[in-house]
Amino acid sequence: MAKISINIASGSIEKRNVVVGIDLGTTNSLVAYNESNPSKPVLVGENNNCIVPSVVYFDENNLPIVGSQAKNQIAQHPERTIFSVKRLLGKNFGDLSGKTDYLGYKIIHDDQENMVKVNVGGHYYNPIQLSSIILKELKEKAESFLNATVDKAVITVPAYFNDSQRQATKDAGKLAGLDVLRIVNEPTAASLAYGMNLTDADKTILVYDFGGGTFDVSILKLEQGVFEVIATHGDTYLGGDDIDKQIVQHWLLQNGIDLEILNKNQIQELRLFAENAKIEISNNPHIPFEKSLKFGNIELNTYIDYIILIEISAEIIAKTMHSVDLSLRDAKLQPSQIDEIVLVGGSTRFPEIYNQLSSKFPKVHINNQINPDEVVALGAAVEADILAGNRKDILLLDVTPLSLGIETAGELMDVLIPRNSKIPTRVGREYTTSVDGQINMKIAVFQGEREMVTQNRKLGEFILKNIPAMPAGFPKIEIQFALNSDGVLKVAAKELRSGIAQEVEILPANGLTDSEVERMLESGLLNAQQDINLRLEQEAVNEANQLIYTAERFLSKHGNLLSENEIFGTKQRIDALKGLLTTNNRNEILSGVEALNDYTRPFAERVMDVAVSAALKGNKIQEL
Ligand code: ADP
Ligand code: MG
């Protein structure tokens, strides 16, 4: 099957260049390529070694070993065996708080790069490096299998991955020596594997992807051979792993054993044991599982059957079904308007999933004939083939999974591109200044669904400088967002009266430029862990400071509009709030903010000065 070409001029054997498709999964990764004549996607590997567990074990010399061999080390060397890296990709320590208990390895927060790191035997690795180790293994596997050079790839990601996570995936590919031609959404890949694009009929497809570490439901519209993601929902912390954890907890409870008395090795061993039990029962629902497991003098009975399994995973499955409902709501569709369902992810082999989906969608065809753990890689290979120029008939459209916006006064998020917008897209909006003579304006770009930017992910910022001095509210500053199909965001700011302009290409916070990727290879220094509570408190402090500032300015500018009593009442509340700021107590600060806010709110309306009024209401870009 591997083809070799000979350069007639030099007589040398030339290796083909193959573009591969890679499913870089939380739990398992696979690589596939497209065979020609007849054209069909094929997995790299022999029957039972196509699946590469996404696990990296570092041996005593800190040399990485990837795959099944690494997975076998989890129980023995939990602190040297890294799994579920995809959950860490593009995340900072705050994102992960309280979600790392089950990991046997150490997670560290590096302040400087705003990226988590993993400490293995005194060496520090970030998720991009760890993912690149897995990708390199897949690249080499494909190269030896195909006897070809593999330096171009399509890599899939869950549809709800944000820009940072997509960029991090690209960077990992680059670090592994792969030119990542495109990042493709997993549901799109799965639909391609089923060849849904090859019929003329327009279709609405719901892709239910329940893997090891992530759950993801997407609704795709297929029109004239063109895919478009119209809604996505999901959870990066919901997967088969969670069912395994439930089983572990069930056993511990049944045996009256506290998790605390087990060491990390034992917890990992139990975890793997639970996964096996789950798979056995899901494959043979009528045969209960029961084996005894010994940890020193602790003996554990591990009985579990299908009924218990359904019971203890009911909540997890219910969450996935709720996401399905939300995706329908987002897409404004009834279950009957779905034409096809595609099952993706190893956990959909659990019969309960099929049962629940078929009662939710009584008349809809559920596609499950391609192995759910292979379907994404196969589809990625189809996409790779398209990008290699072998199929010109298909086009892919995508949507942005999270809202993109800028920070406005009071640290509020102002969304320019809402989530689920089709990309590429371009949006513009006008802003102005909030103080007289303001000549610089900070434009800080964020991503996320929360109202406060401090709760969202910062992608970058720049300063529009040299705005001619004008009264507050007078400058017209147009901000343009352009998001291209690779997920790169260009932000342009222009003051329309003077024409001064500035444009910036925003790389996601965790995304790395070429030189940074190189520098990253040298391990960074360990930094102190961020205090998450401090951040929450800081938000209240910022809000208070902002309000004190505007209230004081209001008094000095417009004191004449207020009565003696009102001036006194305002000053009193400003002083009270200043006093509360010294307490460092978030709730008290917020109550002081509310008191001052409530008191001064009616004053704003008395004033004709647009800028001050607006500043008090908080809808202007924060001044510098
Ligand atoms: P990911 O996309 O997250 O890497 P996969 O699609 O490979 O994951 O799915 C891995 C998950 O599927 C694991 O949690 C595994 O335990 C689960 N799984 C595999 N086979 C079965 C089965 N027969 N029944 C239930 N779950 C299974
Ligand atoms: Mg998957």
Side-chain angles (χ1 to χ4, degrees):
M1 121 262 329
K3 289 179 197 125
I4 295 168
S5 52
I6 297 169
N7 181 326
I8 297 176
S10 66
S12 64
I13 291 175
E14 284 191 343
K15 285 189 171 178
R16 292 179 300 148
N17 266 304
V18 183
V19 186
V20 294
I22 293 175
D23 172 8
L24 182 63
T26 311
T27 316
N28 297 310
S29 296
L30 299 95
V31 53
Y33 69 104
N34 205 78
E35 231 172 47
S36 39
N37 296 326
S39 169
K40 67 162 195 273
V42 177
L43 288 176
V44 165
E46 310 304 336
N47 284 339
N48 50 12
N49 79 359
C50 293
I51 291 183
V52 177
S54 309
V55 183
V56 182
Y57 164 68
F58 290 91
D59 70 11
E60 309 79 57
N61 303 318
N62 262 44
L63 291 175
I65 292 167
V66 179
S68 322
Q69 260 182 298
K71 193 176 175 181
N72 292 336
Q73 300 291 336
I74 291 178
Q76 284 295 311
H77 300 287
E79 74 296 336
R80 299 188 142 270
T81 313
I82 317 302
F83 59 90
S84 292
V85 171
K86 193 170 170 180
R87 281 182 163 179
L88 310 181
L89 207 55
K91 297 273 174 103
N92 59 41
F93 198 81
D95 294 333
L96 297 169
S97 70
K99 290 176 167 168
T100 55
D101 299 0
Y102 271 81
L103 304 177
Y105 50 90
K106 276 193 208 154
I107 295 201
I108 284 137
H109 178 235
D110 184 320
D111 259 342
Q112 265 174 349
E113 289 179 67
N114 195 28
M115 186 167 17
V116 291
K117 288 200 169 182
V118 173
N119 177 355
V120 184
H123 288 71
Y124 299 101
Y125 303 93
N126 68 37
I128 294 175
Q129 292 167 313
L130 294 166
S131 302
S132 82
I133 293 171
I134 297 169
L135 288 171
K136 206 160 175 221
E137 171 78 15
L138 297 170
K139 170 178 150 73
E140 283 164 8
K141 187 178 167 145
E143 285 183 332
S144 70
F145 185 76
L146 297 168
N147 189 27
T149 303
V150 173
D151 56 12
K152 291 189 178 66
V154 165
I155 304 178
T156 59
V157 296
Y160 57 77
F161 251 30
N162 65 28
D163 292 344
S164 293
Q165 292 166 304
R166 285 165 198 263
Q167 187 62 46
T169 305
K170 269 194 165 177
D171 291 338
K174 191 183 276 176
L175 208 54
L178 289 169
D179 180 9
V180 181
L181 298 184
R182 192 172 275 189
I183 295 291
V184 176
N185 287 326
E186 289 161 10
T188 304
S191 304
L192 283 171
Y194 275 103
M196 300 237 175
N197 52 315
L198 300 177
T199 61
D200 281 339
D202 291 350
K203 279 178 190 158
T204 306
I205 306 158
L206 185 138
V207 182
Y208 177 101
D209 181 349
F210 196 18
T214 57
F215 171 72
D216 173 359
V217 55
S218 313
I219 299 178
L220 314 181
K221 253 215 156 83
L222 174 62
E223 272 173 7
Q224 287 153 5
V226 176
F227 282 104
E228 189 188 320
V229 182
I230 57 171
T232 74
H233 255 280
D235 189 336
T236 30
Y237 286 95
L238 198 64
D241 293 353
D242 298 293
I243 297 181
D244 305 344
K245 283 183 213 165
Q246 288 297 321
I247 298 173
V248 166
Q249 253 153 31
H250 172 76
W251 284 341
L252 292 176
L253 205 70
Q254 290 300 304
N255 288 270
I257 291 173
D258 201 17
L259 186 69
E260 253 89 88
I261 71 162
L262 299 178
N263 63 32
K264 282 192 167 168
N265 296 16
Q266 296 168 331
I267 293 173
Q268 295 307 342
E269 195 178 332
L270 200 53
R271 214 184 129 259
L272 289 178
F273 207 76
E275 185 184 7
N276 283 333
K278 173 187 72 180
I279 291 173
E280 279 191 26
I281 294 179
S282 128
N283 293 345
N284 301 295
H286 302 295
I287 306 170
F289 179 93
E290 185 168 27
K291 277 180 192 156
S292 106
L293 193 62
K294 264 198 171 161
F295 293 128
N297 51 8
I298 310 167
E299 187 160 355
L300 212 71
N301 177 291
T302 61
Y303 179 87
I304 188 156
D305 58 29
Y306 190 69
I307 303 215
I308 298 173
L309 187 54
I310 290 184
E311 219 171 84
I312 62 179
S313 45
E315 207 177 305
I316 293 165
I317 296 174
K319 275 190 196 167
T320 69
M321 295 300 158
H322 183 60
S323 274
V324 170
D325 293 339
L326 293 176
S327 70
L328 286 170
R329 190 201 61 187
D330 270 12
K332 300 189 177 67
L333 291 173
Q334 297 300 318
S336 60
Q337 291 173 287
I338 300 292
D339 301 307
E340 304 268 356
I341 292 175
V342 177
L343 293 191
V344 179
S347 299
T348 61
R349 290 176 187 254
F350 194 30
E352 185 64 11
I353 304 294
Y354 187 99
N355 296 344
Q356 290 200 19
L357 284 174
S358 48
S359 57
K360 200 187 250 308
F361 298 90
K363 290 191 183 114
V364 184
H365 177 231
I366 300 179
N367 294 273
N368 64 348
Q369 56 281 26
I370 302 178
N371 279 339
D373 17 30
E374 298 174 356
V375 64
V376 168
L378 294 172
V382 172
E383 171 68 1
D385 201 43
I386 296 167
L387 292 178
N390 300 338
R391 308 180 184 199
K392 298 229 158 58
D393 48 329
I394 304 155
L395 233 130
L396 296 175
L397 284 186
D398 271 332
V399 299
T400 178
L402 289 169
S403 303
L404 293 161
I406 62 166
E407 175 180 356
T408 55
E411 301 181 336
L412 282 170
M413 171 90 169
D414 195 34
V415 172
L416 278 100
I417 300 178
R419 64 187 289 264
N420 280 339
S421 298
K422 286 174 213 164
I423 57 176
T425 183
R426 181 183 286 272
V427 177
R429 192 169 298 165
E430 236 176 70
Y431 296 87
T432 189
T433 53
S434 54
V435 279
D436 293 343
Q438 186 178 331
I439 56 165
N440 290 337
M441 183 180 261
K442 181 178 83 179
I443 291 126
V445 181
F446 286 82
Q447 176 182 49
E449 307 310 311
R450 306 291 293 268
E451 294 302 320
M452 306 295 293
V453 291
T454 44
Q455 308 274 14
N456 288 330
R457 177 171 289 271
K458 187 170 192 172
L459 297 179
E461 67 173 51
F462 66 101
I463 293 163
L464 181 63
K465 289 185 186 146
N466 304 325
I467 302 168
M470 284 182 258
F474 203 69
K476 283 168 161 275
I477 295 156
E478 190 190 58
I479 311 274
Q480 282 250 6
F481 271 30
L483 186 60
N484 75 12
S485 51
D486 279 328
V488 176
L489 181 66
K490 275 207 182 100
V491 179
K494 185 175 186 183
E495 202 289 302
L496 298 176
R497 293 182 194 276
S498 59
I500 65 135
Q502 202 167 321
E503 189 176 298
V504 162
E505 206 175 273
I506 302 276
L507 281 178
N510 291 349
L512 302 161
T513 62
D514 287 7
S515 63
E516 277 167 336
V517 170
E518 278 158 32
R519 247 188 292 141
M520 226 174 57
L521 288 164
E522 302 147 21
S523 353
L525 280 165
L526 170 62
N527 274 284
Q529 186 173 315
Q530 193 177 335
D531 185 338
I532 293 144
N533 289 330
L534 255 179
R535 194 178 61 193
L536 278 175
E537 197 185 293
Q538 189 57 44
E539 279 168 29
V541 171
N542 289 348
E543 203 177 333
N545 282 332
Q546 168 96 8
L547 187 61
I548 290 168
Y549 174 78
T550 46
E552 282 180 337
R553 191 182 49 192
F554 186 89
L555 285 181
S556 76
K557 259 191 157 179
H558 304 285
N560 57 333
L561 295 172
L562 306 183
S563 71
E564 289 285 315
N565 240 340
E566 285 169 337
I567 292 173
F568 179 76
T570 307
K571 282 186 172 160
Q572 205 180 27
R573 283 167 182 79
I574 289 173
D575 287 342
L577 184 52
K578 282 180 177 169
L580 289 172
L581 274 173
T582 63
T583 67
N584 291 336
N585 182 314
R586 178 168 177 260
N587 289 335
E588 287 191 28
I589 294 171
L590 289 177
S591 72
V593 165
E594 200 174 290
L596 178 56
N597 227 339
D598 288 349
Y599 192 77
T600 56
R601 191 172 293 124
F603 304 161
E605 265 109 55
R606 288 187 210 165
V607 185
M608 296 309 290
D609 185 323
V610 185
V612 175
S613 157
L616 276 177
K617 289 181 198 148
N619 60 2
K620 289 293 183 296
I621 289 184
Q622 196 152 12
E623 66 207 58
L624 284 171

